[in-house]
Amino acid sequence: VSGSLSPDAVAAAHRRVAPYVRRTPVLTSTLLDAWLGHRLFFKAEGLQKIGAFKIRGATNALLSLKEQGRLPKEVVAFSSGNHAQGVALAARTLGVKATVHIPEGSSPTKARAAASYGADVVFAKTRQEAEERTEAARRLGAHLLHPYDDDAVIAGQGTACLEALEDCPEPDAIFAPCGGGGLLSGSVLAKELASPSSKIYAGEPLAGNDAARSYRSGGIVRLDKAPDTIADGARTLAVGKRTFPHLRRLDGFFEIDEPDVIYWTQWLNHLLKVAVEPTSALAMAAACAWLKTQDAPKRVLVLLSGGNIAPEAYLRIWERDRLGEVPSLG
Amino acid sequence: VSGSLSPDAVAAAHRRVAPYVRRTPVLTSTLLDAWLGHRLFFKAEGLQKIGAFKIRGATNALLSLKEQGRLPKEVVAFSSGNHAQGVALAARTLGVKATVHIPEGSSPTKARAAASYGADVVFAKTRQEAEERTEAARRLGAHLLHPYDDDAVIAGQGTACLEALEDCPEPDAIFAPCGGGGLLSGSVLAKELASPSSKIYAGEPLAGNDAARSYRSGGIVRLDKAPDTIADGARTLAVGKRTFPHLRRLDGFFEIDEPDVIYWTQWLNHLLKVAVEPTSALAMAAACAWLKTQDAPKRVLVLLSGGNIAPEAYLRIWERDRLGEVPSLG
């Protein structure tokens, strides 16, 4: 089944989810364009419902099941972050009970948000325990909604890129952050459909570069433990069996160090005035790394995945003022 | 001349500035409305050019002079914040030289932004020195653009409220922060024009409540030194001769303590996913204080003045997590 998903699945997903998700704006910054000498377009999924693109995949998965007459009574998921909120809200929208298993130590803000959307939130001691409980619930009849290793989730996430390509047609290159690979896989399909000549690249934390290593080696590399990166959406241990075939068709990976993640988190929040979480800064840092290799002015599309920043993350992000150092490719 | 400004001046200002400023969105939060039991509408001027409403007044002032055939060769202003950026960008748009005098100790981020818009930025040792140098430049022929004590500036700031009243017609009440009173004065005029039955209230820091005291006493109260508040847009010493007559027509003032400013800065940034500066949180805190006195569900419009947050302000804002305490009027 892996890799069998077609670009048309993203168009179908968009028709399905459009009534339930926000059409987020594509933002620009005159100052930034002047400093870099290129034109940058930012798809602001921080302004999406739940503050991240994840609502798209969860909504498409449940609506697809409903179309097939297989809408479950209960969905279950494990997540330390945005996926929990996406599942909670999508389930409420469709009148389905949701249970999310969240490892202790995850952001209490995200857990509270999932609960406020009506999900049962169950804390587990570890990520492994959360996964085991999810699996147990699945065996008892609940539908498991995987955060990325699911074709309907991948197609749903791709709708963010598809919309952006309507507002910013045929960019020279597209950049997105890589966690489990759901957003990137959907974006590969979206650009094949809407802008086949565009290049597409991933930004991944250097501290957790399993996807880049998988891309280079041709086989899925799995980390032993969650990487220590401020980009909490990219703390996944490995990409999925269903995302990897799409990720192999990327034009490349850029591995981003932590100071660069923080630098671009500061600057994007400062310039765009919308919440930009560190994971999204990976895409911008990747775009800069690519632009440094270009001779002529380019138009690039940067997919900003979300805007959920925990209080303690604000303190780490702004510990040292990086705004004195103006962006430049020099 | 004081108080001679008519509501029509705001409509004229809107026709003038509309091609040069952004029509910012009015945002809502389903969660917040559910928690408070009222409907709240937020005019997001943080998404305005320069990240604050101040571009409106500066642009209207220069365009008005141009209409009268009196466009100056040079404008000069003193400001520690958003007004400097507004003057810099408006002057560049109209091809006028701008010099802004900024007291040392002001946010370097805002000074840099003014410089990046092409203004000459001159640092002064104190606010008084900045004002004196501005006055000296005025005597040499430059046009002084006051941050609030200027009818064209007041009319320009009112366009934010006028637009918001188109998107959110006839709210029960309107709330805005009070610094020098420019935004509030323009908003009083805008609501007389577009929604005369709406109430309109100010939020001011308790630590610098000169305007509330002026309102109560009927004469302008002047502070000896800049108040110690995180709401840096409200560190003015006194309201202006031209704003005070409008401020007297407000329905009331709410004096907000610092923990409340920080609480609402955290929550508005968290819920709306756009940058909301502490000064804007004054308006929300005032809205809550008013809503506590209401028996029936209300529709309220909150004018969020800007989204410029200095790096050191982020650290003060997020020093202690307030998101565990869900908003409530109980």
Side-chain angles (χ1 to χ4, degrees), chain A residues 235-283:
Chain A
R235 287 187 196 143
T236 35
L237 302 180
V239 300
K241 283 198 205 83
R242 284 167 192 272
T243 54
F244 188 50
H246 302 293
L247 299 175
R248 294 187 75 173
R249 283 142 63 211
L250 290 169
D251 291 291
F253 270 80
F254 292 93
E255 292 154 79
I256 312 300
D257 65 17
E258 296 297 301
D260 233 23
V261 177
I262 289 173
Y263 178 86
W264 280 113
T265 303
Q266 288 198 4
W267 271 100
L268 293 179
N269 276 282
H270 175 61
L271 290 169
L272 301 178
K273 305 296 181 206
V274 297
V276 177
E277 61 185 54
T279 304
S280 301
L282 291 167

Side-chain angles (χ1 to χ4, degrees), chain B residues 78-111:
Chain B
F78 59 88
S79 165
S80 54
N82 291 328
H83 180 60
Q85 298 180 63
V87 169
L89 181 57
R92 190 179 72 176
T93 303
L94 284 156
V96 170
K97 175 173 156 54
T99 305
V100 291
H101 294 271
I102 296 187
E104 276 175 19
S106 303
S107 160
T109 316
K110 290 179 180 180

Side-chain angles (χ1 to χ4, degrees), chain B residues 62 65 70-78 87 91 96-101 120 122 130-146 150:
Chain B
L62 290 185
L65 290 168
R70 299 195 294 132
L71 188 66
K73 286 212 177 57
E74 182 180 358
V75 294
V76 63
F78 59 88
V87 169
V96 170
K97 175 173 156 54
T99 305
V100 291
H101 294 271
D120 282 348
V122 182
E131 292 192 23
E132 284 167 6
R133 287 185 183 171
T134 309
E135 179 56 25
R138 191 191 63 76
R139 284 194 304 268
L140 291 171
H143 182 83
L144 191 159
L145 250 183
H146 194 279
D150 177 312

Side-chain angles (χ1 to χ4, degrees), chain A residues 146-296:
Chain A
H146 194 279
Y148 51 87
D149 209 20
D150 177 312
D151 281 350
V153 170
I154 290 170
Q157 318 300 34
T159 62
C161 183
L162 192 66
E163 282 177 9
L165 289 170
E166 284 176 17
D167 294 341
C168 167
E170 298 188 3
D172 294 302
I174 302 164
F175 296 85
C178 190
L183 177 61
L184 271 161
S185 295
S187 298
V188 165
L189 295 168
K191 84 108 194 169
E192 281 174 3
L193 189 69
S195 185
S197 64
S198 299
K199 304 277 187 192
I200 179 164
Y201 297 92
E204 190 184 32
L206 180 60
N209 63 349
D210 58 285
R213 287 157 59 199
S214 303
Y215 179 81
R216 284 194 294 268
S217 71
I220 296 177
V221 172
R222 189 175 177 86
L223 303 176
D224 293 334
K225 60 184 182 78
D228 184 17
T229 169
I230 195 168
D232 59 339
R235 287 187 196 143
T236 35
L237 302 180
V239 300
K241 283 198 205 83
R242 284 167 192 272
T243 54
F244 188 50
H246 302 293
L247 299 175
R248 294 187 75 173
R249 283 142 63 211
L250 290 169
D251 291 291
F253 270 80
F254 292 93
E255 292 154 79
I256 312 300
D257 65 17
E258 296 297 301
D260 233 23
V261 177
I262 289 173
Y263 178 86
W264 280 113
T265 303
Q266 288 198 4
W267 271 100
L268 293 179
N269 276 282
H270 175 61
L271 290 169
L272 301 178
K273 305 296 181 206
V274 297
V276 177
E277 61 185 54
T279 304
S280 301
L282 291 167
M284 180 61 197
C288 276
W290 181 76
L291 287 170
K292 280 182 185 169
T293 68
Q294 303 299 308
D295 297 325

Side-chain angles (χ1 to χ4, degrees), chain A residues 34-200:
Chain A
W35 284 330
L36 300 187
H38 298 277
R39 291 184 65 196
L40 290 108
F41 298 84
F42 297 96
K43 176 69 167 171
E45 283 288 287
L47 298 176
Q48 187 51 264
K49 287 182 187 180
I50 74 148
F53 72 94
K54 293 269 184 179
I55 185 64
R56 296 174 180 271
T59 303
N60 186 51
L62 289 186
L63 287 172
S64 299
L65 290 168
K66 190 179 178 183
E67 272 179 19
Q68 298 157 19
R70 299 195 295 130
L71 188 66
K73 286 212 177 60
E74 183 180 357
V75 294
V76 62
F78 58 89
S79 165
S80 55
N82 291 328
H83 180 59
Q85 298 180 65
V87 169
L89 181 56
R92 190 179 72 174
T93 302
L94 284 155
V96 169
K97 176 173 156 51
T99 305
V100 292
H101 294 271
I102 297 187
E104 275 175 22
S106 303
S107 160
T109 316
K110 289 179 181 179
R112 284 191 296 257
S116 70
Y117 292 127
D120 282 347
V121 173
V122 182
F123 287 96
K125 285 234 162 19
T126 60
R127 185 181 171 98
Q128 197 183 343
E129 189 179 275
E131 292 192 23
E132 284 166 6
R133 288 185 183 173
T134 309
E135 179 56 24
R138 190 190 64 75
R139 284 194 306 267
L140 290 172
H143 182 83
L144 192 158
L145 251 183
H146 194 279
Y148 51 87
D149 209 20
D150 177 312
D151 281 350
V153 170
I154 290 170
Q157 318 300 34
T159 62
C161 183
L162 192 66
E163 282 177 9
L165 289 170
E166 284 176 17
D167 294 341
C168 167
E170 298 188 3
D172 294 302
I174 302 164
F175 296 85
C178 190
L183 177 61
L184 271 161
S185 295
S187 298
V188 165
L189 295 168
K191 84 108 194 169
E192 281 174 3
L193 189 69
S195 185
S197 64
S198 299
K199 304 277 187 192
I200 179 164

Side-chain angles (χ1 to χ4, degrees), chain B residues 35-301:
Chain B
W35 285 329
L36 300 186
H38 298 277
R39 292 185 64 196
L40 290 108
F41 298 85
F42 297 96
K43 177 70 168 170
E45 283 288 288
L47 299 175
Q48 186 52 263
K49 288 182 185 179
I50 75 150
F53 72 95
K54 294 269 184 180
I55 185 67
R56 295 175 181 270
T59 303
N60 187 51
L62 290 185
L63 288 172
S64 299
L65 290 168
K66 190 179 178 185
E67 272 179 20
Q68 298 158 18
R70 299 195 294 132
L71 188 66
K73 286 212 177 57
E74 182 180 358
V75 294
V76 63
F78 59 88
S79 165
S80 54
N82 291 328
H83 180 60
Q85 298 180 63
V87 169
L89 181 57
R92 190 179 72 176
T93 303
L94 284 156
V96 170
K97 175 173 156 54
T99 305
V100 291
H101 294 271
I102 296 187
E104 276 175 19
S106 303
S107 160
T109 316
K110 290 179 180 180
R112 284 192 296 255
S116 70
Y117 292 127
D120 282 348
V121 173
V122 182
F123 287 96
K125 285 234 163 17
T126 61
R127 185 178 170 101
Q128 197 183 343
E129 188 179 275
E131 292 192 23
E132 284 167 6
R133 287 185 183 171
T134 309
E135 179 56 25
R138 191 191 63 76
R139 284 194 304 268
L140 291 171
H143 182 83
L144 191 159
L145 250 183
H146 194 279
Y148 51 87
D149 209 19
D150 177 312
D151 281 349
V153 170
I154 290 170
Q157 318 301 33
T159 62
C161 184
L162 191 66
E163 283 177 9
L165 288 170
E166 285 176 16
D167 294 341
C168 167
E170 300 190 359
D172 294 302
I174 302 164
F175 295 86
C178 190
L183 176 61
L184 271 161
S185 295
S187 299
V188 165
L189 296 167
K191 84 107 194 171
E192 281 173 3
L193 189 69
S195 185
S197 65
S198 300
K199 304 276 186 192
I200 179 164
Y201 297 91
E204 189 183 32
L206 180 60
N209 63 348
D210 59 284
R213 287 158 59 198
S214 303
Y215 178 82
R216 284 195 293 268
S217 71
I220 295 176
V221 172
R222 191 177 176 85
L223 303 176
D224 293 334
K225 62 185 179 77
D228 183 17
T229 169
I230 194 168
D232 60 337
R235 286 187 197 143
T236 36
L237 301 180
V239 301
K241 283 198 205 83
R242 284 167 192 272
T243 55
F244 187 52
H246 302 291
L247 299 176
R248 295 187 74 172
R249 283 144 62 212
L250 289 169
D251 291 290
F253 270 80
F254 292 93
E255 293 156 75
I256 313 299
D257 65 16
E258 296 297 301
D260 234 24
V261 177
I262 289 173
Y263 177 85
W264 281 112
T265 303
Q266 288 197 4
W267 271 100
L268 292 178
N269 276 282
H270 174 61
L271 289 169
L272 300 178
K273 305 297 181 205
V274 297
V276 177
E277 61 186 53
T279 304
S280 301
L282 291 166
M284 179 61 197
C288 276
W290 182 76
L291 287 170
K292 280 182 187 171
T293 69
Q294 303 299 308
D295 297 324
K298 299 290 179 187
R299 290 172 67 250
V300 308
L301 172 61

